[in-house]
Amino acid sequence: MEDHSSQTKTRGRPKVVPDDVQAARIVQEARELFIAEGYAGTTMDEVAARCRISKRTLYRLFPGKTELFTAIIEAHRQSMLDLPGDYDDIPLDVALEKIFKVDIDPEKDRERMAVLHFIIVETQQFPELRDIAHRQGGERGLALLSEWLIHQQELGRIAIEDPTSTAGILMDMIFGAIIFKKPGEWELRSREERTQHIRRCIGIFLDGVRPR
């Protein structure tokens, strides 16, 4: 009789996914659900099902939809403003193009514009989301850009008086690529128009802050 005992396989432990990897995947899937169904129309159960994880795992990493929205805002900010980063060894105009992601991949650009549309729509309906978007998106981005401008001034590459105000002016110029027609209505310029707009803004900005 053939002995099958040596062929018996022991079941190994299931592969453990690191929390940061799991969280990133959840944010990506939740973002797609939010865009498709809206913030109010998406449930945590749906997020767990889409990610094929238990609700226990989901709630351990994100206690609620508010925390998920916050994580989406943080990821979106990084897709719009690539800071912090080391741009000291390249020309200022090239550095700013990289910071504002002028040459972002077209598919990534479509994704970030879809998220931007979602944020604009949802924050008009839910004041608590508007506060999160302002704090984690606008304010945090402003602080990071201010820090970068201060560093450039310390290197002698620019001359400015008020870094926070200057950062705000630059962000207003760049993000003017989004056209608001009137309250409740908005539209985006084409990718080509936005790219040209950002490069013109960078040129105008640098003409004003270069040391003389």
Side-chain angles (χ1 to χ4, degrees):
M1 176 180 287
E2 185 178 356
D3 182 7
H4 295 281
S5 60
S6 62
Q7 300 176 17
T8 303
K9 296 182 179 180
T10 58
R11 182 179 303 222
R13 291 184 179 181
K15 185 177 180 180
V16 177
V17 179
D19 280 354
D20 58 340
V21 175
Q22 188 78 275
R25 178 168 174 266
I26 292 170
V27 169
Q28 181 178 353
E29 297 294 345
R31 181 193 66 196
E32 297 304 318
L33 274 174
F34 283 162
I35 289 172
E37 306 295 336
Y39 181 79
T42 300
T43 67
M44 293 291 278
D45 285 359
E46 290 172 328
V47 174
R50 182 170 178 129
C51 296
R52 297 183 179 181
I53 59 175
S54 68
K55 288 190 287 186
R56 179 179 179 180
T57 297
L58 175 60
Y59 280 104
R60 179 173 63 81
L61 296 173
F62 298 98
K65 283 202 298 182
T66 299
E67 287 76 16
L68 269 176
F69 181 81
T70 301
I72 289 170
I73 291 294
E74 292 173 347
H76 176 68
R77 185 195 69 238
Q78 293 169 356
S79 77
M80 300 291 287
L81 196 69
D82 195 6
L83 286 172
D86 183 5
Y87 306 103
D88 293 349
D89 297 327
I90 58 178
L92 285 170
D93 57 341
V94 177
L96 285 170
E97 287 190 13
K98 288 183 177 295
I99 287 171
F100 286 98
K101 295 199 167 185
V102 171
D103 293 326
I104 190 173
D105 175 83
E107 180 59 32
K108 294 294 184 182
D109 185 57
R110 284 190 289 272
E111 290 178 4
R112 70 176 182 176
M113 291 302 105
V115 175
L116 182 59
H117 177 267
F118 159 74
I119 292 170
I120 291 172
V121 170
E122 298 297 333
T123 54
Q124 290 177 347
Q125 301 180 57
F126 302 100
E128 67 274 19
L129 300 186
R130 184 169 60 247
D131 293 341
I132 293 171
H134 178 67
R135 183 173 63 253
Q136 300 297 329
E139 287 188 351
R140 179 58 179 153
L142 181 65
L144 288 169
L145 187 56
S146 298
E147 291 171 6
W148 184 78
L149 290 174
I150 291 170
H151 179 59
Q152 298 310 302
Q153 179 160 258
E154 291 171 345
L155 294 175
R157 303 181 82 190
I158 62 174
I160 55 178
E161 294 181 0
D162 185 332
T164 300
S165 175
T166 304
I169 291 169
L170 178 56
M171 290 178 70
D172 286 344
M173 292 170 65
I174 297 294
F175 297 131
I178 303 167
I179 304 173
F180 290 87
K181 296 184 291 186
K182 62 183 181 180
E185 296 185 15
W186 68 287
E187 64 182 2
L188 290 173
R189 292 175 177 172
S190 69
R191 175 179 170 82
E192 292 74 20
E193 289 174 327
R194 283 185 279 115
T195 297
Q196 293 174 4
H197 172 91
I198 292 172
R199 285 182 169 144
R200 281 195 297 269
C201 288
I202 289 172
I204 292 170
F205 174 80
L206 290 179
D207 284 343
V209 299
R210 290 190 194 278
R212 285 169 171 76

